[in-house]
Short mmCIF file of all heavy atoms in Angstrom, two decimals:
data_model
loop_
_atom_site.label_atom_id
_atom_site.label_comp_id
_atom_site.label_asym_id
_atom_site.label_seq_id
_atom_site.Cartn_x
_atom_site.Cartn_y
_atom_site.Cartn_z
N ALA P 548 81.39 101.32 104.53
CA ALA P 548 79.93 101.25 104.45
C ALA P 548 79.44 99.86 104.73
O ALA P 548 78.43 99.63 105.43
CB ALA P 548 79.44 101.75 103.12
N PHE P 549 80.09 98.83 104.11
CA PHE P 549 79.67 97.44 104.33
C PHE P 549 79.96 97.05 105.77
O PHE P 549 79.23 96.18 106.30
CB PHE P 549 80.40 96.53 103.35
CG PHE P 549 79.89 96.55 101.94
CD1 PHE P 549 80.69 96.76 100.94
CD2 PHE P 549 78.47 96.39 101.66
CE1 PHE P 549 80.15 96.83 99.61
CE2 PHE P 549 77.98 96.44 100.47
CZ PHE P 549 78.78 96.70 99.34
N GLY P 550 81.03 97.62 106.38
CA GLY P 550 81.27 97.33 107.77
C GLY P 550 80.17 97.82 108.68
O GLY P 550 79.75 97.13 109.67
N ILE P 551 79.64 98.95 108.35
CA ILE P 551 78.50 99.54 109.16
C ILE P 551 77.28 98.59 109.03
O ILE P 551 76.65 98.29 110.00
CB ILE P 551 78.19 100.98 108.74
CG1 ILE P 551 79.39 101.90 109.24
CG2 ILE P 551 76.95 101.51 109.35
CD1 ILE P 551 79.30 103.30 108.71
N VAL P 552 76.95 98.26 107.82
CA VAL P 552 75.80 97.41 107.53
C VAL P 552 75.94 96.06 108.28
O VAL P 552 75.06 95.49 108.90
CB VAL P 552 75.60 97.24 106.05
CG1 VAL P 552 74.49 96.17 105.77
CG2 VAL P 552 75.19 98.54 105.39
N ARG P 553 77.20 95.44 108.18
CA ARG P 553 77.44 94.22 108.82
C ARG P 553 77.29 94.32 110.37
O ARG P 553 76.69 93.48 111.05
CB ARG P 553 78.85 93.71 108.48
CG ARG P 553 79.09 92.30 109.00
CD ARG P 553 80.50 91.87 108.75
NE ARG P 553 81.28 91.89 109.92
CZ ARG P 553 82.42 92.38 110.11
NH1 ARG P 553 83.04 92.90 109.12
NH2 ARG P 553 83.03 92.33 111.26
N GLY P 554 77.75 95.45 110.91
CA GLY P 554 77.65 95.70 112.30
C GLY P 554 76.18 95.81 112.76
O GLY P 554 75.79 95.36 113.84
N LEU P 555 75.34 96.48 111.93
CA LEU P 555 73.90 96.58 112.22
C LEU P 555 73.27 95.25 112.25
O LEU P 555 72.35 94.96 113.08
CB LEU P 555 73.26 97.50 111.22
CG LEU P 555 73.57 99.03 111.41
CD1 LEU P 555 72.97 99.85 110.29
CD2 LEU P 555 73.04 99.51 112.77
N PHE P 556 73.62 94.37 111.30
CA PHE P 556 72.97 93.00 111.22
C PHE P 556 73.46 92.15 112.37
O PHE P 556 72.65 91.30 112.89
CB PHE P 556 73.29 92.36 109.89
CG PHE P 556 72.37 92.79 108.79
CD1 PHE P 556 72.81 93.54 107.75
CD2 PHE P 556 71.01 92.41 108.89
CE1 PHE P 556 71.94 93.91 106.77
CE2 PHE P 556 70.11 92.83 107.88
CZ PHE P 556 70.60 93.62 106.81
N LEU P 557 74.74 92.33 112.84
CA LEU P 557 75.25 91.47 113.89
C LEU P 557 74.96 91.99 115.30
O LEU P 557 75.20 91.34 116.30
CB LEU P 557 76.70 91.26 113.69
CG LEU P 557 77.17 90.45 112.44
CD1 LEU P 557 78.69 90.46 112.37
CD2 LEU P 557 76.52 89.15 112.41
N LEU P 558 74.46 93.20 115.39
CA LEU P 558 74.19 93.83 116.64
C LEU P 558 73.24 92.97 117.60
O LEU P 558 73.55 92.85 118.75
CB LEU P 558 73.66 95.27 116.50
CG LEU P 558 73.48 96.08 117.74
CD1 LEU P 558 74.78 96.24 118.52
CD2 LEU P 558 72.86 97.41 117.45
N PRO P 559 72.15 92.54 117.06
CA PRO P 559 71.18 91.79 118.05
C PRO P 559 71.94 90.54 118.55
O PRO P 559 71.77 90.20 119.78
CB PRO P 559 70.09 91.36 117.11
CG PRO P 559 70.03 92.31 115.99
CD PRO P 559 71.52 92.69 115.79
N GLY P 560 72.73 89.83 117.78
CA GLY P 560 73.47 88.67 118.30
C GLY P 560 74.48 89.05 119.36
O GLY P 560 74.70 88.33 120.29
N ARG P 561 75.17 90.17 119.15
CA ARG P 561 76.15 90.58 120.10
C ARG P 561 75.49 91.03 121.42
O ARG P 561 76.04 90.83 122.51
CB ARG P 561 77.04 91.72 119.53
CG ARG P 561 77.95 91.35 118.46
CD ARG P 561 78.69 92.45 117.96
NE ARG P 561 80.06 92.04 117.64
CZ ARG P 561 81.14 92.62 117.85
NH1 ARG P 561 81.12 93.76 118.50
NH2 ARG P 561 82.24 92.11 117.51
N ILE P 562 74.33 91.68 121.32
CA ILE P 562 73.62 92.08 122.57
C ILE P 562 73.16 90.87 123.33
O ILE P 562 73.26 90.82 124.54
CB ILE P 562 72.42 92.97 122.15
CG1 ILE P 562 72.92 94.31 121.62
CG2 ILE P 562 71.49 93.17 123.34
CD1 ILE P 562 71.80 95.20 121.14
N LEU P 563 72.76 89.84 122.59
CA LEU P 563 72.29 88.59 123.29
C LEU P 563 73.46 87.68 123.75
O LEU P 563 73.26 86.64 124.38
CB LEU P 563 71.33 87.76 122.39
CG LEU P 563 70.06 88.49 122.03
CD1 LEU P 563 69.28 87.71 121.02
CD2 LEU P 563 69.25 88.69 123.25
N GLY P 564 74.69 88.13 123.46
CA GLY P 564 75.87 87.32 123.97
C GLY P 564 76.43 86.36 123.01
O GLY P 564 77.20 85.49 123.39
N GLY P 565 76.23 86.51 121.74
CA GLY P 565 76.78 85.57 120.75
C GLY P 565 78.20 85.90 120.32
O GLY P 565 78.85 85.18 119.67
N GLY P 566 78.71 87.10 120.69
CA GLY P 566 80.05 87.51 120.32
C GLY P 566 81.13 87.20 121.26
O GLY P 566 82.19 87.75 121.22
N ARG P 567 80.90 86.25 122.18
CA ARG P 567 81.97 85.92 123.21
C ARG P 567 83.08 85.13 122.63
O ARG P 567 83.04 84.18 122.08
CB ARG P 567 81.28 85.15 124.40
CG ARG P 567 80.46 86.03 125.18
CD ARG P 567 79.89 85.33 126.40
NE ARG P 567 78.66 85.94 126.77
CZ ARG P 567 77.81 85.43 127.52
NH1 ARG P 567 77.97 84.16 127.96
NH2 ARG P 567 76.74 86.04 127.87
#
Side-chain angles (χ1 to χ4, degrees):
F549 284 127
I551 290 172
V552 171
R553 189 180 106 229
L555 287 174
F556 277 112
L557 295 178
L558 184 62
R561 289 180 145 224
I562 290 175
L563 295 174
R567 287 186 206 161

